[in-house]
Amino acid sequence: MTTFNKQQEEVIRVMGGRHLVLAPPGCGKTAVLAERIVWARQHGVPYGDMACLTFTNRAARGMRERILSRMECVTGSEENGLDELFVGNVHRFCSRFLFSQGVVPETAEIIDTDISVSIIADFLGEDELRVLAEAKHRQRYSQVINLQHLMYQCCKGYPSRLMVHREALPPRALRELCIAFGLQYSRASAVDLYLHADHYRDQHALLSTDAAWTLEALYAARCYEQYKHRHDLLDFEDLLLRAYDEMERAVAVVPQKEAALAITYRRYRWIQVDEVQDLNPLQLAIIDLFTDEDATVVYLGDAQQAIFSFMGAQTDTLELLRRRCGPEGFHNFCQNYRSPQYLLNVFNRYGECQLGISRELLPTTQNHSPQYADGLVLMEAATNVDEVNQVAAAVERLYQDHPEETVAVVVAFNSDADEVSAALSSRRVPHFKISGTDFFSTPPVRLLLAHLSVLSMEQSFIAWTQIMTGLHVYSSNSASRQFVRAMMELGITPVDFIDYDGSTYVSEFVSAWDTQDFVVFDTETTGLDVAADDVVQLAAVRVSQGRIVGQLNLFVETDRRIPAMLGDVPNPLVEEYARQPHVSHRDALQQFVCFASGCQLLGHNATFDYQILSFQMQRYAPELSMSALWPCYFDSLKLSRLLKPRLSSYKLKSLITLLGLKGENTHLASDDILATLSLASACCQMGRERVGRQLEFLSRHRQTIGKFVRAYGQLYRQGRAALYTETQLDAFMRSVYDDLCKEELVPVEPKLAYVINYVAHDMLTPASGRLLAQQLGCHIQDLTTMKEADLISGMNERVFVSTVHKAKGLEFDSVIVFDAVDGKYPSAYANTKQEGDAEEARKFYVAISRARRRLIISYCRQSINRWGRWFDARVTPYLDCIKSLF
């Protein structure tokens, strides 16, 4: 879209105040969102003051690509500073806030639902594989997870308007529990039952099935919360809750003595929020907390697509925002650019008759393309078996007749997707299924992503757990978690098993520190690209038995610019560098080699310094080699993480302060090496206290360790060796997976090709870097949070089978809504109250409005269930108002 209509131009240019924009599908919303960023930047709004919030990671990636493309069109070159613009969902924003502010430990990890289920299964004494495989068990466990979050809010005294997951604690069951244990029916009693669930379980009260399960769920929820706290784990809802707590505390008036402890954080003055109808009240409250008082805020939503109440979204959100924004802040996009008139007639009639949308809010179109002969079709079948075959035949016909177009079969249930997919496979129609267990949650893909994770961050508790289970070192995640946690509590990682025979990193360091000379070194550089930037200061001290016996401090000539700022702090090197004499790169490297020869190397975040010196040697002194001179080195950053887990920050400055050590982190290498020396001495003292227990652990688990090293040692060594080579991430993933398949550790998975293709063509950019380590640093978080639906934009596939919820936000040339019968639209499992039925009606709207050219609705007259019983099927009542248009 290169031009905009009057309503769109008005929204693009809004400055100041709150604005609500209603934008039905096809009205150019994404183009407007991107153009608003361009317009704001051209009018002086810094990228760092902007936040563009989306509902899904997929939408965020698409939005960032659109913005980058528009800025390049406008400026004629790649825009500088765009990385300061926040584009992502609320969860991503909260995660960044929690880690950047040190609210949670630096090594804390974010877990998904499958891991949560596995943890809870331990406490309930159930088989996690059985739980994950059966929908009814997953629903029970979802209640436990939601209950934990609800009780967290109750314990913290959250206001009622922000409470999410109230349904997780049924009032009738709570009332029965209160009567059984002589408690008053109140929130305080619910909190008491939760905090002391283990005590109440032991009282053996006579309870109904529902009340007994609720008490068991309270117990499991409490155990789950305690487990996460002990092991520094956060699930996705925790990100919201913890961020809200800290932001709320920061804006509260605190006593003067506590003022120094209050977190201060950036508030944004230019915000836009997409798909706002899908956000719950807590998410909106978080957005309010990081919104500047004088900010421009634009909310974009569509009441017709509000189908996420199961995630806490409330249908009155748009009305609440409409009141907040006032008449002058209300906008409506009335021009549809995607749909031809015959399809828009269907969508609008359904919106007016079934969803109660005012006629003046319905969009119009100038696309009066003639209707295809098969543009609007109702397809009736005698039985559900016949219907599956008819739909598969229709897809095959569309696939063959329209080779440039996409086709989607949209289904209500995962089981429907399986049936349609099987029928397409029997006809050999290539397709991609998006339903049920997400591809990224399957054990083979988890193993691959865990391998990438530990290469990127060695102290990843969850990734090591998944590797232990995926390689069959242990048969269950529960046993793997226990082993990995016991190991990490002692300051050991599985890399120690690979690198040493009967020893550990800490043990080797302590032994070397006591018996050998060390050179503690540091560099200051022109940037963070080890392969391309220059070293401009190289400092080192030689230490023997804890005493400094030599010093080196060199300033190195460069034609590159030294950055004036380090974050928001002036770079002290700029002035110091101007005052000092400079040596050539070659001289500096030769002097360092002469000074440090025969010693052990140690630095803080030494991998960076070691690698940039290695590349400097390749460029300026090719006869020298870091890996030949020092095949290994020690890192006080790694030692600190092993010996002092759960700290909020492992920056040198933070560690010196937290541990009360001598030295100062000034960002001058000559000062920083003295602070690092102080830290290394402290690590040696802490390490001495661990070595004995570490070696006893190794001896006790010798058999398990041997099994692990045989399964994983070579693969890890190969991966580590590739980190600082010019290896493309997509090629590396393919190579690793091929090795896993060759060793018969994972089955061949055809869908992996889609992931590889996505990484190669949609994820990697020049900004990702040339080295594998750089690419992992840029994209590991995206990779480990991806879902199947994220792959669609970059794949060559033309036929898709998807559930309605996973199809939201996508569009296809032809859409077949499968089995549009009562019991699926509305669902037999849906809330029968008025609001629940209204959401089901919106779900059908989402299904039909995915179509760009053709819409086919199929249904059957009779259906046979899995027990062989026949019953009559009735077409969905949602079809009544639009049936005459087909």
Side-chain angles (χ1 to χ4, degrees):
M1 184 175 248
T2 54
T3 59
F4 298 92
N5 62 39
K6 180 181 178 182
Q7 289 84 9
Q8 292 170 328
E9 289 281 4
E10 185 179 274
V11 170
I12 289 169
R13 287 169 170 73
V14 295
M15 223 35 179
R18 268 66 170 168
H19 300 262
L20 173 64
V21 181
L22 294 186
C27 288
K29 175 189 66 175
T30 304
V32 169
L33 287 171
E35 197 66 22
R36 273 183 49 72
I37 301 283
V38 175
W39 191 87
R41 186 69 193 93
Q42 290 176 327
H43 287 77
V45 182
Y47 284 128
D49 284 349
M50 301 185 198
C52 184
L53 294 157
T54 63
F55 185 64
T56 64
N57 288 327
R58 181 182 73 238
R61 279 188 280 271
M63 180 59 61
R64 181 170 285 280
E65 289 167 5
R66 181 74 72 100
I67 293 166
L68 180 62
S69 174
R70 281 294 298 130
M71 289 305 304
E72 288 180 355
C73 286
V74 171
T75 63
S77 62
E78 187 172 329
E79 179 73 357
N80 292 324
L82 193 59
D83 56 341
E84 294 182 26
L85 167 69
F86 179 82
V87 182
N89 60 21
V90 180
H91 291 88
R92 177 65 63 87
F93 181 89
C94 291
S95 174
R96 190 175 74 162
F97 166 78
L98 292 171
F99 284 97
S100 65
Q101 295 288 342
V103 176
V104 298
E106 184 187 276
T107 51
E109 295 183 71
I110 301 168
I111 57 176
D112 62 19
T113 303
D114 285 354
I115 297 172
S116 299
V117 167
S118 174
I119 292 168
I120 295 168
D122 272 356
F123 297 114
L124 294 180
E126 297 182 347
D127 180 358
E128 64 179 272
L129 296 178
R130 179 168 169 262
V131 171
L132 290 168
E134 297 184 21
K136 64 178 182 179
H137 290 304
R138 289 185 69 97
Q139 289 172 359
R140 289 169 61 241
Y141 277 58
S142 292
Q143 181 188 350
V144 172
I145 296 168
N146 291 342
L147 183 57
Q148 187 267 303
H149 299 135
L150 173 65
M151 298 315 301
Y152 176 93
Q153 295 171 93
C154 289
C155 292
K156 292 284 187 178
Y158 275 50
S160 296
R161 63 185 174 80
L162 298 184
M163 301 284 277
V164 295
H165 305 309
R166 293 169 180 262
E167 74 290 342
L169 185 60
R172 181 180 296 177
L174 175 60
R175 186 173 284 108
E176 183 181 338
L177 290 173
C178 289
I179 293 171
F181 297 116
L183 303 173
Q184 195 174 31
Y185 181 70
S186 66
R187 179 190 285 197
S189 293
V191 170
D192 182 55
L193 285 164
Y194 174 66
L195 295 178
H196 306 99
D198 53 345
H199 167 73
Y200 288 110
R201 285 172 82 231
D202 293 339
Q203 293 194 26
H204 302 295
L206 187 62
L207 299 171
S208 68
T209 302
D210 287 347
W213 161 246
T214 299
L215 182 59
E216 191 75 356
L218 284 165
Y219 165 76
R222 178 62 173 161
C223 292
Y224 173 57
E225 180 181 39
Q226 292 172 325
Y227 186 93
K228 288 188 293 180
H229 179 73
R230 285 197 306 271
H231 301 302
D232 301 324
L233 303 177
L234 302 163
D235 60 30
F236 289 110
E237 199 82 10
D238 291 330
L239 296 175
L240 304 178
L241 296 169
R242 294 290 300 277
Y244 173 80
D245 289 346
E246 293 302 324
M247 290 180 186
E248 182 70 17
R249 188 166 72 90
V251 300
V253 178
V254 297
Q256 188 63 38
K257 64 179 182 179
E258 297 179 12
L261 302 176
I263 287 176
T264 57
Y265 61 93
R266 162 178 260 163
R267 288 174 174 80
Y268 293 81
R269 64 186 182 95
W270 197 98
I271 298 173
Q272 56 188 30
V273 187
D274 193 15
E275 301 287 4
V276 71
Q277 77 279 350
D278 292 330
L279 302 184
N280 63 40
L282 178 63
Q283 292 168 320
L284 286 173
I286 290 169
I287 294 171
D288 289 342
L289 284 169
F290 67 73
T291 301
D292 190 80
E293 290 183 4
D294 299 322
T296 300
V297 186
V298 173
Y299 308 99
L300 295 100
D302 180 7
Q304 300 168 79
Q305 296 192 75
I307 60 171
F308 284 97
S309 66
F310 67 92
M311 295 175 66
Q314 296 184 0
T315 52
D316 60 355
T317 295
L318 291 178
E319 184 55 38
L320 179 152
L321 292 175
R322 188 166 183 172
R323 291 195 300 270
R324 175 188 290 188
C325 297
E328 67 283 357
F330 177 72
H331 311 264
N332 184 47
F333 287 171
C334 297
Q335 184 70 40
N336 182 292
Y337 293 93
R338 187 184 78 192
S339 305
Q341 185 68 59
Y342 60 89
L343 275 176
L344 195 61
N345 290 341
V346 175
F347 306 154
N348 283 349
R349 183 178 293 185
Y350 188 90
E352 182 179 5
C353 300
Q354 190 65 56
L355 304 180
I357 306 298
S358 299
R359 183 170 295 184
E360 63 270 17
L361 297 180
L362 295 172
T364 60
T365 183
Q366 296 178 358
N367 182 352
H368 298 290
S369 302
Q371 181 174 331
Y372 295 102
D374 56 352
L376 294 171
V377 175
L378 295 180
M379 194 161 63
E380 183 181 86
T383 69
N384 58 325
V385 177
D386 295 332
E387 184 184 4
V388 171
N389 292 326
Q390 282 186 199
V391 165
V395 171
E396 184 177 25
R397 185 168 57 252
L398 290 167
Y399 177 76
Q400 293 173 347
D401 293 349
H402 307 286
E404 302 301 318
E405 297 182 3
T406 55
V407 185
V409 182
V410 179
V411 302
F413 299 152
N414 291 323
S415 56
D416 294 335
D418 294 339
E419 291 181 12
V420 173
S421 178
L424 290 173
S425 296
S426 69
R427 292 174 175 267
R428 298 184 179 179
V429 177
H431 64 284
F432 188 83
K433 179 165 72 78
I434 318 167
S435 72
T437 300
D438 195 281
F439 169 63
F440 286 92
S441 296
T442 59
V445 179
R446 281 189 181 277
L447 177 59
L448 174 62
L449 295 181
H451 176 61
L452 299 180
S453 295
V454 298
L455 288 174
S456 181
M457 174 60 178
E458 185 182 329
Q459 282 85 16
S460 176
F461 168 53
I462 292 299
W464 282 121
T465 296
Q466 292 170 338
I467 288 171
M468 290 285 177
T469 307
L471 296 174
H472 313 296
V473 177
Y474 283 98
S475 59
S476 71
N477 284 312
S478 172
S480 294
R481 280 195 299 271
Q482 291 178 23
F483 176 76
V484 173
R485 179 50 63 191
M487 172 190 61
M488 288 188 159
E489 290 290 346
L490 292 173
I492 305 171
T493 76
V495 175
D496 291 353
F497 308 152
I498 297 169
D499 286 346
Y500 310 108
D501 183 11
S503 186
T504 68
Y505 188 81
V506 171
S507 176
E508 293 295 308
F509 166 68
V510 170
S511 176
W513 188 262
D514 289 340
T515 60
Q516 301 179 44
D517 284 4
F518 268 74
V519 165
V520 180
F521 74 114
D522 187 36
T523 64
E524 300 299 336
T525 65
T526 57
L528 300 178
D529 188 335
V530 296
D533 278 300
D534 274 346
V535 172
V536 288
Q537 186 187 14
L538 173 57
V541 290
R542 185 163 179 159
V543 182
S544 180
Q545 302 296 312
R547 294 182 301 106
I548 297 176
V549 296
Q551 289 186 274
L552 181 74
N553 186 22
L554 304 171
F555 291 87
V556 188
E557 62 188 20
T558 184
D559 56 2
R560 294 174 179 270
R561 186 181 67 86
I562 298 174
M565 302 291 290
L566 300 174
D568 54 0
V569 178
N571 187 353
L573 182 64
V574 174
E575 290 186 11
E576 186 70 14
Y577 186 83
R579 290 197 297 264
Q580 300 291 340
H582 307 149
V583 300
S584 69
H585 288 285
R586 185 181 185 82
D587 286 347
L589 293 168
Q590 288 176 334
Q591 287 188 54
F592 176 74
V593 168
C594 183
F595 179 81
S597 181
C599 299
Q600 294 280 357
L601 289 187
L602 181 143
H604 193 74
N605 192 19
T607 298
F608 174 82
D609 302 290
Y610 182 94
Q611 292 297 339
I612 199 167
L613 286 176
S614 180
F615 279 100
Q616 297 281 278
M617 288 180 179
Q618 293 175 31
R619 197 181 313 151
Y620 301 114
E623 74 278 9
L624 302 176
S625 166
M626 286 292 286
S627 60
L629 291 162
W630 296 281
C632 61
Y633 55 90
F634 289 102
D635 191 338
S636 58
L637 173 61
K638 177 176 176 177
L639 288 165
S640 302
R641 284 172 170 161
L642 290 171
L643 296 167
K644 294 293 289 185
R646 303 187 180 92
L647 295 182
S648 58
S649 171
Y650 289 91
K651 293 179 180 178
L652 182 58
K653 182 177 182 179
S654 302
L655 289 167
I656 293 296
T657 302
L658 289 168
L659 300 178
L661 303 176
K662 293 180 180 179
E664 188 178 2
N665 177 209
T666 64
H667 298 293
L668 289 174
S670 48
D671 292 333
D672 293 352
I673 52 174
L674 299 178
T676 302
L677 174 58
S678 180
L679 175 60
S681 298
C683 287
C684 185
Q685 184 60 40
M686 289 185 285
R688 286 194 184 99
E689 299 169 3
R690 298 279 184 91
V691 169
R693 285 179 291 155
Q694 287 185 345
L695 298 181
E696 189 275 332
F697 179 90
L698 299 183
S699 177
R700 184 157 32 96
H701 294 282
R702 189 181 304 276
Q703 188 173 354
T704 299
I705 291 169
K707 185 177 181 180
F708 167 77
V709 173
R710 288 190 296 274
Y712 189 58
Q714 183 179 358
L715 190 67
Y716 181 81
R717 291 189 194 99
Q718 290 172 344
R720 185 170 58 186
L723 283 174
Y724 290 93
T725 64
E726 294 189 13
T727 301
Q728 285 291 101
L729 179 56
D730 54 306
F732 179 74
M733 291 172 67
R734 167 55 67 192
S735 174
V736 170
Y737 204 79
D738 287 346
D739 287 342
L740 290 170
C741 291
K742 192 182 303 179
E743 296 296 322
E744 298 184 348
L745 293 168
V746 297
V748 175
E749 175 51 71
K751 277 189 176 181
L752 187 70
Y754 296 118
V755 182
I756 303 296
N757 184 67
Y758 181 88
V759 171
H761 298 102
D762 293 85
M763 182 173 282
L764 295 178
T765 68
S768 303
R770 293 181 292 138
L771 307 179
L772 178 61
Q774 295 170 329
Q775 295 165 39
L776 282 173
C778 283
H779 302 298
I780 190 64
Q781 187 174 18
D782 286 334
L783 273 171
T784 53
T785 57
M786 282 185 71
K787 301 296 181 186
E788 278 182 339
D790 296 337
L791 302 174
I792 289 179
S793 62
M795 64 172 56
N796 296 322
E797 207 63 80
R798 291 174 40 223
V799 178
F800 302 88
V801 181
S802 174
T803 55
V804 180
H805 285 96
K806 292 191 175 184
K808 188 172 183 290
L810 303 174
E811 54 188 62
F812 310 91
D813 294 302
S814 298
V815 168
I816 302 176
V817 180
F818 175 76
D819 210 22
V821 297
D822 197 359
K824 293 187 176 176
Y825 301 99
S827 168
Y829 304 106
N831 184 347
T832 55
K833 294 181 180 178
Q834 181 177 357
E835 183 45 51
D837 187 64
E839 177 160 331
E840 287 294 297
R842 292 193 294 273
K843 188 171 80 173
F844 191 72
Y845 174 81
V846 170
I848 63 176
S849 61
R850 300 308 90 204
R852 279 194 297 247
R853 300 185 182 188
R854 299 173 188 80
L855 174 60
I856 301 170
I857 299 177
S858 81
Y859 56 91
C860 60
R861 295 192 301 272
Q862 281 192 312
S863 186
I864 183 172
N865 63 22
R866 54 182 168 178
W867 297 284
R869 295 182 57 185
W870 289 89
F871 56 92
D872 291 336
R874 186 169 70 90
V875 68
T876 173
Y878 300 148
L879 199 56
D880 292 346
C881 63
I882 57 175
K883 195 172 185 178
S884 62
L885 298 176
F886 285 73

